């Protein structure tokens, strides 16, 4: 019970979970489905049956599909680790149940990728942007990965969770957690570009760490109870227990302090962003009224040649208008698609009524061709 209560509390109330739960991203649903998938996979391995296998495969397929491919590694890590613990490596890999689980769980995502890559085309180039294998040879990759994890969890919780794995009961509990941890690590080695730069790519690590910390908290609570009950009868073993207890409590306290500091920083940052966003929203709504909430617009708003936040979609959302975003113009000297070439592509479905351009872009040298057009 101690472990269960702590793990659920950590999962729900760690500051990053609270902040992330306010975003418009599929990652939140993905993490929930990952936990449901891990639960159904565990239930299948506790008592294998075709019905339980199908339930596990369906939930796994949903977890993998919601944000395509991201949960593939921890899901398969959990299934394979539990299968190897139960049947050994060779029997697991040739087991028809494993082959059926693998096929069913990746089928929806596979069909989605085929459609998005070869038919609709909106997924072309997505993998090459995120999968850059040579980054694993660079120190900056490992530093960036550690920093993003610390932003999500804090170092104390991370290292406490790694210690907690050793305290898990042998058998299914330890096999499950080894599978989830291994899956996350392989995921990071695959999506090298984003794992070291996008903190929310480690969101799936929160429930894994929460479960791993449960065993540490259980040890602390049990030892604390024994120490308090036998305070007058401590031998050398007892003093050793007190030392371990003190270190464990220190890890938990440091984790709480670290997370409170992260929360304070994030809250102040969000307040500043909200004040800035308020003026943007007022502008977006005014623009929406000026163009009579048109459904036929082209938008070039925010950002820069080097990247930055593209406010085109925010303008459409708050201005209650729709259309197409215009790509950021490139530096002079680079081979860029001319406006005459690009305009027909952006207006293929319908002829635009309005072209909404922010003043920052309108006055730049890079939009000279666009202004002339």
């Amino acid at each position: 019970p101690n472990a269960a209560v702590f793990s659920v509390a950590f999962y729900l109330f760690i500051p990053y979970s609270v902040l992330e739960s306010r975003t418009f991203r599929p990652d939140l649903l993905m993490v929930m489905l990952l936990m449901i998938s891990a639960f159904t996979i565990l239930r299948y391995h506790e008592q294998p049956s075709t019905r339980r296998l199908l339930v596990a495969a369906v939930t796994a397929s949903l977890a993998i599909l919601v944000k395509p491919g991201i949960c593939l590694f921890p899901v398969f890590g959990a299934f394979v680790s539990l299968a190897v613990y139960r049947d050994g490596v060779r029997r697991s890999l040739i087991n028809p149940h494993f082959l059926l689980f693998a096929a069913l769980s990746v089928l929806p995502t596979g069909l989605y990728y085929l459609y998005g890559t070869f038919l609709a085309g909106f997924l072309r180039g997505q993998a090459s942007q995120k999968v850059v294998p040579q980054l694993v040879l660079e120190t900056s990759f490992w530093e960036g990965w550690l920093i993003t994890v610390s932003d999500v969890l804090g170092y104390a919780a991370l290292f406490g969770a790694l210690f907690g794995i050793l305290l898990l009961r042998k058998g299914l509990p330890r096999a499950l957690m080894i599978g989830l941890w291994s899956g996350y690590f392989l995921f990071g080695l695959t999506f090298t570009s984003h794992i070291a730069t996008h903190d929310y790519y480690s969101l799936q690590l929160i429930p894994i760490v929460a479960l791993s910390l449960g065993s540490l908290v259980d040890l602390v609570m049990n030892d604390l109870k024994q120490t308090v009950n036998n305070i007058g009868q401590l031998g050398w073993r007892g003093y050793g227990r007190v030392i371990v207890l003190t270190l464990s409590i220190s890890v938990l306290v440091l984790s709480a302090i670290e997370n409170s500091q992260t929360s304070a920083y994030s809250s102040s940052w969000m307040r500043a962003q909200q004040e800035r966003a308020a003026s943007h929203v007022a502008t977006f709504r005014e623009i929406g009224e000026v163009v009579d909430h048109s459904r036929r617009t082209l938008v070039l708003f925010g950002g820069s040649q080097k990247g930055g936040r593209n406010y085109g979609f925010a303008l459409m959302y708050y201005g209650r208008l729709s259309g197409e975003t215009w790509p950021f113009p490139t530096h002079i000297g680079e081979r860029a698609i001319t406006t005459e070439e690009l305009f027909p592509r952006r207006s293929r479905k319908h002829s635009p009524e309005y072209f909404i351009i922010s003043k920052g872009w309108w006055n730049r040298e890079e939009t000279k061709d666009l202004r002339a057009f």
Side-chain angles (χ1 to χ4, degrees):
N2 292 328
V5 171
F6 180 86
S7 293
V8 172
F10 183 91
Y11 172 76
L12 291 176
F13 300 119
I14 185 173
Y16 194 87
S17 284
V18 177
L19 294 173
E20 190 66 21
S21 67
R22 302 172 64 183
T23 62
F24 291 96
R25 276 200 284 262
D27 303 69
L28 312 173
L29 180 60
M30 176 194 74
V31 172
M32 184 188 77
L33 288 169
L34 171 62
M35 288 295 92
I36 295 174
S37 176
F39 175 77
T40 56
I41 288 171
L42 181 63
R43 282 285 177 259
Y44 162 73
H45 282 287
E46 286 177 337
Q47 191 175 341
S49 69
T50 303
R51 184 181 66 83
R52 290 192 172 196
L53 177 69
L54 291 176
V55 171
V58 169
T59 55
S61 69
L62 292 174
I64 296 169
L65 178 64
V66 164
K67 189 159 185 176
I70 303 300
C71 274
L72 176 69
F73 296 89
V75 165
F76 270 76
F79 192 95
V80 171
S81 180
L82 289 168
V84 169
Y85 163 75
R86 200 164 51 87
D87 297 325
V89 176
R90 184 174 170 279
R91 288 182 61 191
S92 299
L93 295 179
I94 62 174
N95 190 328
H97 274 203
F98 169 70
L99 300 176
L100 181 61
F101 174 84
L104 292 178
S105 60
V106 301
L107 181 62
T109 303
L111 294 174
Y112 175 76
Y113 261 103
L114 287 174
Y115 171 76
T117 303
F118 298 105
L119 296 178
F122 60 87
L123 287 177
R124 283 184 196 142
Q126 287 286 316
S128 61
Q129 295 174 12
K130 300 174 183 178
V131 181
V132 188
Q134 61 268 29
L135 286 179
V136 299
L137 303 176
E138 298 181 14
T139 307
S140 58
F141 162 74
W142 297 98
E143 292 175 348
W145 191 357
L146 190 60
I147 289 171
T148 57
V149 170
S150 72
D151 289 343
V152 174
L153 295 161
Y155 292 118
L158 175 64
F159 293 117
L162 292 173
F163 177 60
I165 298 175
L166 303 176
L167 301 175
L168 284 165
R169 292 196 312 274
K170 291 181 180 179
L172 291 181
R174 188 177 293 180
L176 173 66
M177 296 313 301
I178 289 174
L180 291 172
W181 274 99
S182 300
Y184 169 76
F185 187 67
L186 289 174
F187 162 74
L189 293 180
T190 303
F191 290 86
T192 48
S193 176
H194 279 44
I195 195 70
T197 54
H198 293 57
D199 51 10
Y200 63 87
Y201 262 59
S202 290
L203 191 64
Q204 58 186 292
L205 193 57
I206 290 179
I208 298 174
V209 166
L211 289 169
S212 302
L213 283 172
S215 57
L216 177 61
V217 172
D218 191 54
L219 172 72
V220 170
M221 296 300 291
N222 288 334
D223 271 20
L224 183 62
K225 183 178 179 180
Q226 289 183 30
T227 303
V228 169
N229 290 341
N230 304 300
I231 194 69
Q233 306 171 11
L234 289 178
W236 287 109
R237 277 183 158 183
Y239 288 116
R241 180 181 291 143
V242 170
I243 293 172
V244 172
L245 179 62
T246 304
L247 290 173
S248 301
I249 291 175
S250 299
V251 167
L252 297 175
V253 171
L254 285 172
S255 178
I257 293 172
E258 197 172 11
N259 278 313
S260 68
Q261 292 172 342
T262 302
S263 178
Y265 169 78
S266 299
S267 297
S268 62
W269 179 83
M270 285 186 70
R271 278 195 296 270
Q273 291 293 310
Q274 287 167 351
E275 291 172 3
R276 185 181 174 206
S279 64
H280 282 21
V281 169
T283 302
F284 296 158
R285 286 174 176 161
E286 185 178 354
I287 291 172
E289 293 175 3
V290 169
V291 302
D292 197 25
H293 307 293
S294 172
R295 290 181 293 176
R296 294 157 54 191
T297 65
L298 292 172
V299 178
L300 175 57
F301 212 100
S304 67
Q305 303 97 319
K306 298 179 181 178
R309 197 176 294 263
N310 186 336
Y311 287 108
F313 295 113
L315 169 60
M316 293 181 191
Y317 179 79
Y318 289 106
R320 288 189 293 158
L321 52 97
S322 63
E324 296 276 348
T325 57
W326 191 266
F328 295 158
T330 59
H331 288 290
I332 297 299
E334 294 182 7
R335 169 67 179 104
I337 301 175
T338 64
T339 303
E340 286 80 2
E341 294 173 312
L342 186 58
F343 189 83
R345 300 183 189 180
R346 282 294 193 264
S347 57
R348 189 174 297 157
K349 292 183 180 178
H350 50 251
S351 177
E353 293 180 302
Y354 297 95
F355 200 135
I356 305 170
I357 309 176
S358 57
K359 190 183 294 183
W361 275 116
W362 182 252
N363 296 325
R364 295 189 68 90
E365 181 67 18
E366 291 83 357
T367 55
K368 182 179 179 180
D369 176 56
L370 183 58
R371 286 199 303 274
F373 180 81

